[in-house]
Amino acid sequence: MAMRENWSGRFGFIMAAAGSAIGLGNIWRFPYIAGEHGGGAFLLIYLGVVLLFGIPLLMAEIMVGRAAQRNPATAFRLLGGRRWGLVGLLGILTGFIILSFYIIVAGWTLAYVGFTVRGLLDSSDPAVLAGQFDTFTRHPWSPLVYAGVFLIVVLATLASGVRAGIERANKVLMPLLFILLVLLTIYVLRLPGAMEGVRFFLTPDFSAVTTATFSAALAQAFFSLSLGMGCMLTYGSYLSRDENLPFTAASITGLDIASSLLCGLLILPVVFAFGFDPASGPGLTFVTLPAAFANMPMGTVVGCAFFVLLLIAALTSAISILEPAVSYFVEVHGWTRPRTVAVCGAVCFALSVPASLSFGLLSGHRLFGMDYFTLVDFTATNILMPLGALLTAIFVGWVWARQARLALANDGRLHQPWAPVWLLSMRFVAPPAITWILLSGLGLL
Ligand code: TRP
């Protein structure tokens, strides 16, 4: 096999992993989930869940990849035997499913950058904007063209390789993302009425907390940290064995939480300043926000900056969702990178067609009471990813435990006083908790 690529250093890895973590999940999903689950109360629970499960599992995934220096399927097989290899394959498959609906929302975002620039969203009436959003997403091919253009950028980056493609893109785009995010947040917080939104976001309303709040927080944490499908495992496989894992995992998580908090402080104040409903679901980003932007001084600039921000976040995440599959076909089947990227891209695009059409032509068709888009989103987010995370925790906590402790301490070169606590969490805390979200997500509890 040709020399395997790796990151140029710690900064490159942290930027790439943060690029994976910070995505539509932080900007599009987090604020409305927080809105639905009682603002500040959700926030506290979310932080607890991230500390308790997010960071330990993130460490576990990176560690498995780093120890094996291989794609997810080979990594699990090398460390745990043939049958565990299936866990890696499951992750690779999950990646295709996630990307098939992820690029549709990313395509909408790309379209909305264009709409804002051309002044097409210039209405402050949510009903008008909801109509526009509907007309656009129902169109048989227009959203697919945008998704296709977005996918081509993802594929081109992946084809350039780990360092020249993935790392280089993230090193430029992630700092840019944070600059945009901070500038937008500062601007928005100075609007009259913005503090209402801040209060809503930060004041805990424990009466809105139910068991569903906990499972929503866990699912959001896994989605946001890109866990459970071998994404962080693959990025970890390009990491040097000398890096301090708890430190890198905490940095990635810190950046991810910071961006989610900033997004909450950006989006909820906008919603409140203009008197809209914070719990308006997925349409929050594409309907409520443009209506608020239209009311705002410099609204076009702000709206455009916002959708560019969303686009960058989606791009760096989408890149990471496909990399496990790319590394698998390159390493196991010996394909060249450009060829792999082309084939994976074609499969992904084909899968995204029904996801897009489920807003239009196929909108009447239901499976298990859901349209196709909702069904694949639900299957990936509520079943396949928790399942992947559960199996990873069991693997690291029970099958590979002794080596895992050594791997955490860089083969004894680092002192890791928290290693036993971490291992306990992998053994006894994470598996039951994840099983619980799996079952409650399926409505079985
Ligand atoms: N974490 C990203 C977000 O918040 C999405 C993402 C990227 C992802 N890679 C993943 C989700 C792997 C699940 C698994 O938008």
Side-chain angles (χ1 to χ4, degrees), residues 19-27 94 98 102 220 222-232 256 313-314 316-318 320-321 385:
S20 168
I22 301 169
L24 295 173
N26 302 56
I27 310 179
T94 310
I98 295 180
Y102 207 83
Q220 173 64 20
F222 288 157
F223 191 84
S224 191
L225 288 172
S226 309
L227 296 174
M229 57 145 284
C231 208
M232 290 301 186
D256 187 56
T316 52
S317 296
S320 77
I321 299 176
M385 284 175 36

